[in-house]
């Protein structure tokens, strides 16, 4: 019997999914006759991480090391029944807390005459997370790591619950914290900047308490009638001791490791030492000038005044602002760290990403955790509107032909890291290519002949093992299909290998 084109396409699609084995975004289950109980753990894990695909009717031999032989397509006996059972469970809400699937997310595909049920689970939005099962928030919430589903740690569940509140984290009323806990010199310094940026603003005539109320730093609890500082007010303008008392989990640290001489560990450091009131506004004011003073300053005049505020300085200011407004200050071991090196800046904040990485790079939407702090900083010219902040950073770095900024989520550390490399992309590629050429000559079989394009791809992978296919295509101005073909050839020749998922995995340049 002839095989139709649809069956050929189905088989090709399944083969492509299985080509790299189970990973962060792929799970296979036998499910010969019924929906396996473990499917719902994977559903929760995919929804709370990066989304993924579940294949029912595929058996995996974990002992088989050859990925091409590891999977056996056994098919399901009654695909229609399994799909109906899945929909019934989703819609009953007795098993899962939220149904994220649409009709097109569950399909039956044919593989050599056998039916495989394919389920696409999207990443849940921050409003929908956490997605849990068995009506048990703490024990029924899962996240995906590598090839497995794991109980979500309680700190991450608490973070997801906070993120689901559209009003942000920093509106929290801090009982017993009053205007006496505000460092007045810090507040006055902010008000001077506010006045310069907003000369005719009516708030300039208010006293400190009313001014803070308007900014969202001071509030009256309507239920009890009590009044005092909000989380935003204390963290932005508070005295160091009250800040440390209330948020003893939070640390602010700046370390300069540029221009080191001899065995120097660092050339400059700012951490709490009793010489400054360690609130967020002071941290920003003290660190930003140190961070940007070595950036290139092309000679440019605005009338008779030299214009020093370059796109790159604005980008660093934006990155610093983002670090503050997106940080989860209530995580147990919160660290706001800024590091300066000869060739890069690294900014780290506690918390995980509220939005998918690709959406952040594209811009157009902003979901700050600390909306009152965001408002405070915008009022003095810090922070872009409407989600344009990260594209501003990308454009400023692209203008100088520096390597593309990398935003890295580190779930195991409960933090997000932004790397801003001050390195010319072409220079870096040439340097990496030189190193790769040496490695290739020494470590890769002489029979493998690599093209110039493949060597360039290897250089980019060596410089950034987490680089994605779309990023490679963008860097080299080539189509994704061309890059995918080259990557497949490199993997086939064992020049490179892939560890982890397509989105959050990493490339490995084979050494032996």
């Amino acid at each position: 019997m002839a095989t139709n084109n649809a069956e050929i396409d189905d088989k090709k699609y399944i083969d492509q999914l299985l080509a790299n084995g189970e990973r962060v975004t792929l799970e296979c289950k036998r499910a010969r006759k019924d929906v396996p109980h473990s499917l719902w753990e994977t559903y929760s894990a995919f929804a709370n991480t990066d989304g993924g695909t579940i294949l029912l009717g595929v058996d995996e031999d974990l002992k088989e090391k050859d990925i091409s032989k590891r999977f056996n397509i056994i098919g399901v006996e009654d695909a229609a029944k399994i799909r109906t059972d899945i929909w019934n469970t989703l819609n009953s809400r007795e098993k899962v807390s939220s149904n994220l699937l649409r009709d097109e997310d569950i399909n039956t595909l044919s593989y050599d005459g056998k039916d495989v049920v394919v389920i696409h689970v999207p990443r849940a939005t921050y409003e929908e997370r956490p997605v849990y099962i068995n009506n048990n928030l703490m024990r029924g919430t899962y996240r995906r790591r590598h090839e497995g589903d794991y109980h979500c740690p309680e700190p991450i569940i608490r973070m997801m619950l906070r993120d689901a509140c559209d009003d942000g984290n920093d509106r929290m009323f801090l009982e017993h914290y009053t205007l006496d806990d505000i460092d007045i010199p810090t507040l006055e310094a902010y008000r001077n900047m506010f006045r310069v940026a907003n000369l005719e603003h009516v708030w300039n005539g208010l006293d400190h308490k009313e001014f803070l109320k308007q900014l969202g730093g001071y509030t009256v609890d309507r239920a009890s009638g009590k009044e005092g500082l909000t989380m935003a007010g204390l963290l932005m303008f508070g005295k160091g001791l009250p800040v440390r008392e209330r948020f003893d989990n939070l640390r602010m640290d700046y370390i300069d490791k540029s221009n080191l001489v001899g065995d120097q560990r660092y050339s400059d450091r700012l951490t709490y030492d009793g010489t400054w009131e360690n609130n967020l506004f002071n941290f920003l004011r003290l660190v930003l000038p140190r961070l940007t003073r070595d950036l290139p300053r092309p000679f440019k005049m605005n009338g008779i005044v030299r214009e020093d505020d370059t796109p790159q300085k604005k980008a660093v200011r934006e990155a610093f602002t983002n670090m503050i407004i997106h940080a989860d200050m209530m995580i147990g071991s919160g660290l706001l760290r800024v590091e300066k090196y000869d060739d890069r800046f690294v900014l780290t904040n506690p918390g995980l990403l509220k939005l998918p990485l690709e959406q952040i790079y594209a811009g157009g939407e902003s979901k700050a955790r600390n909306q009152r702090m965001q408002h405070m900083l915008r009022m003095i010219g810090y922070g872009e509107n409407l989600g344009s902040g990260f594209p501003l950073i990308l454009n400023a770095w692209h203008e100088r032909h520096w390597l593309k900024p990398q935003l890295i989520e580190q779930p195991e550390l409960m933090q997000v890291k932004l790397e801003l490399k001050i390195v010319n992309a072409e220079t870096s590629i040439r340097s990496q290519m030189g190193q790769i050429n040496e490695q290739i000559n020494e470590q890769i079989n002489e029979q493998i002949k690599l093209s110039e394009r493949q060597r360039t791809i290897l250089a980019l992978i060596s410089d950034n093992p987490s680089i994605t296919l779309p990023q490679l295509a963008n860097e080299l101005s080539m189509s994704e299909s061309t890059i995918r073909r080259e990557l497949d050839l490199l993997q086939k020749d064992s020049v490179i290998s892939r560890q982890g998922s397509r989105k959050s995995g990493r490339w490995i340049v084979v050494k032996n």
Side-chain angles (χ1 to χ4, degrees):
M1 183 176 66
T3 303
N4 63 39
N5 290 335
E7 290 175 337
I8 294 174
D9 290 342
D10 287 355
K11 182 176 180 179
K12 183 178 180 181
Y13 175 71
I14 292 173
D15 284 337
Q16 287 175 342
L17 285 176
L18 296 173
N20 291 318
E22 282 195 348
R23 49 195 182 274
V24 173
T25 55
L26 180 68
E27 176 72 21
C28 299
K29 299 183 185 294
R30 284 179 59 86
R32 184 72 173 153
K33 297 181 179 181
D34 300 295
V35 178
H37 295 297
S38 63
L39 178 142
W40 302 111
E41 296 175 3
T42 303
Y43 173 84
S44 167
F46 280 164
N48 291 323
T49 314
D50 290 317
T53 301
I54 304 171
L55 299 181
L56 302 184
V58 179
D59 189 27
E60 180 182 15
D61 181 2
L62 296 175
K63 295 181 181 179
E64 176 58 63
K65 295 184 178 180
D66 187 344
I67 292 178
S68 65
K69 301 176 181 178
R70 184 178 296 174
F71 298 97
N72 180 27
I73 311 298
I74 60 175
V76 298
E77 288 186 2
D78 191 341
K81 175 183 177 298
I82 285 179
R83 291 173 61 177
T84 298
D85 289 346
I86 292 172
W87 283 120
N88 288 341
T89 302
L90 285 168
N91 292 325
S92 72
R93 301 295 176 92
E94 293 178 1
K95 183 67 177 179
V96 296
S97 62
S98 180
N99 177 11
L100 305 175
L101 305 189
R102 301 163 299 177
D103 288 345
E104 58 266 31
D105 290 326
I106 305 180
N107 295 281
T108 300
L109 303 186
S110 180
Y111 192 103
D112 291 341
K114 301 170 184 176
D115 286 338
V116 176
V117 176
V118 181
I119 307 166
H120 296 292
V121 182
R123 170 186 167 125
T125 65
Y126 69 91
E127 298 102 330
E128 296 166 325
R129 294 194 296 265
V131 174
Y132 56 93
I133 64 174
N134 299 329
N135 290 314
N136 191 329
L137 175 64
M138 288 303 172
R139 294 295 299 167
T141 300
Y142 290 81
R143 274 181 67 85
R144 189 77 172 172
R145 288 183 59 196
H146 304 297
E147 300 173 14
D149 308 318
Y150 298 89
H151 285 289
C152 193
E154 185 174 334
I156 295 185
I157 296 176
R158 302 275 183 206
M159 181 192 67
M160 288 192 286
L161 289 171
R162 290 193 295 270
D163 287 349
C165 175
D166 257 334
D167 207 21
N169 293 354
D170 60 350
R171 70 185 294 268
M172 182 173 62
F173 169 56
L174 304 180
E175 191 173 359
H176 309 306
Y177 286 83
T178 69
L179 205 62
D180 291 338
D181 296 305
I182 291 293
D183 180 55
I184 299 304
T186 300
L187 181 57
E188 289 178 342
Y190 174 86
R191 295 197 66 168
N192 286 336
M193 293 182 69
F194 181 95
R195 192 174 294 109
V196 170
N198 308 275
L199 283 174
E200 305 298 326
H201 204 292
V202 66
W203 294 354
N204 287 324
L206 300 177
D207 62 27
H208 288 335
K209 180 191 287 190
E210 290 301 317
F211 182 76
L212 281 174
K213 277 185 181 180
Q214 297 299 327
L215 284 178
Y218 194 95
T219 190
V220 177
D221 182 52
R222 291 183 180 274
S224 65
K226 296 177 181 179
E227 62 180 71
L229 298 177
T230 63
M231 175 180 167
L234 180 63
L235 282 175
M236 283 293 287
F237 308 118
K239 295 175 182 175
L241 184 57
V243 169
R244 295 193 302 279
E245 284 176 347
R246 184 60 181 78
F247 297 96
D248 61 347
N249 60 303
L250 184 65
R251 291 189 296 126
M252 307 170 204
D253 189 25
Y254 166 72
I255 185 165
D256 186 343
K257 295 186 178 182
S258 65
N259 303 307
L260 298 182
V261 178
D263 59 354
Q264 268 187 307
R265 292 173 54 204
Y266 53 83
S267 55
D268 189 16
R269 183 103 188 243
L270 180 73
T271 190
Y272 185 67
D273 57 6
T275 62
W276 61 292
E277 298 291 353
N278 59 317
N279 54 55
L280 290 173
F281 185 64
N282 276 340
F283 186 57
L284 181 148
R285 281 199 307 151
L286 293 169
V287 171
L288 261 182
R290 305 181 192 198
L291 198 60
T292 59
R293 64 189 172 201
D294 296 326
L295 286 175
R297 292 190 304 161
F299 187 79
K300 182 180 178 182
M301 299 295 292
N302 184 1
I304 61 172
V305 179
R306 178 172 177 175
E307 178 63 71
D308 283 335
D309 201 15
T310 64
Q312 290 69 44
K313 288 183 69 174
K314 292 177 182 176
V316 174
R317 190 162 64 234
E318 182 68 26
F320 206 122
T321 301
N322 285 347
M323 179 185 69
I324 291 174
I325 68 176
H326 294 300
D328 190 330
M329 309 295 186
M330 289 184 270
I331 284 178
S333 54
L335 174 63
L336 284 166
R337 170 174 285 174
V338 181
E339 300 165 273
K340 180 180 180 180
Y341 298 87
D342 290 320
D343 62 346
R344 68 192 185 279
F345 305 133
V346 181
L347 296 89
T348 304
N349 67 263
L352 302 179
L353 299 174
K354 287 186 69 172
L355 299 176
L357 198 60
E358 57 271 19
Q359 193 171 344
I360 295 172
Y361 272 79
E365 189 171 0
S366 177
K367 297 296 179 184
R369 284 193 173 93
N370 304 308
Q371 295 174 17
R372 281 138 203 87
M373 295 183 197
Q374 183 180 39
H375 175 62
M376 292 170 180
L377 293 172
R378 278 181 180 168
M379 293 301 291
I380 57 172
Y382 287 24
E384 293 294 308
N385 291 308
L386 301 176
S388 60
F390 205 80
L392 180 149
I393 297 171
L394 295 174
N395 291 337
W397 248 241
H398 180 71
E399 179 184 282
R400 299 288 303 183
H401 304 290
W402 290 339
L403 286 171
K404 183 178 291 187
Q406 297 296 317
L407 190 61
I408 304 163
E409 188 176 46
Q410 300 177 308
E412 67 283 359
L413 299 175
M414 291 287 286
Q415 66 184 26
V416 173
K417 180 180 291 188
L418 174 63
E419 291 190 358
L420 300 172
K421 294 187 178 180
I422 315 171
V423 179
N424 183 276
E426 293 182 4
T427 302
S428 175
I429 290 174
R430 285 197 297 268
S431 173
Q432 292 293 335
M433 284 182 64
Q435 297 174 24
I436 292 296
N437 287 339
E438 292 179 10
Q439 291 178 4
I440 290 169
N441 290 336
E442 295 175 2
Q443 300 165 350
I444 297 178
N445 192 299
E446 291 181 359
Q447 294 179 353
I448 300 175
K449 302 298 182 182
L450 299 182
S451 67
E452 191 69 21
R453 178 188 295 164
Q454 290 172 334
R455 291 177 184 273
T456 304
I457 290 172
L458 282 176
L460 290 168
I461 287 174
S462 180
D463 182 64
N464 176 19
S466 300
I467 195 167
T468 64
L469 188 148
Q471 290 170 342
L472 281 168
N474 184 50
E475 291 281 359
L476 298 175
S477 300
M478 297 177 187
S479 69
E480 290 188 18
S481 59
T482 298
I483 299 297
R484 185 182 292 108
R485 183 172 63 251
E486 297 290 5
L487 291 172
D488 288 344
L489 290 172
L490 290 170
Q491 287 179 285
K492 181 180 178 181
D493 289 334
S494 299
V495 178
I496 61 174
S497 65
R498 183 72 179 174
Q499 183 182 75
S501 76
R502 182 179 59 186
K503 289 185 178 179
S504 57
R506 62 194 297 270
W507 295 103
I508 297 174
V509 177
V510 178
K511 300 299 183 183
N512 299 307

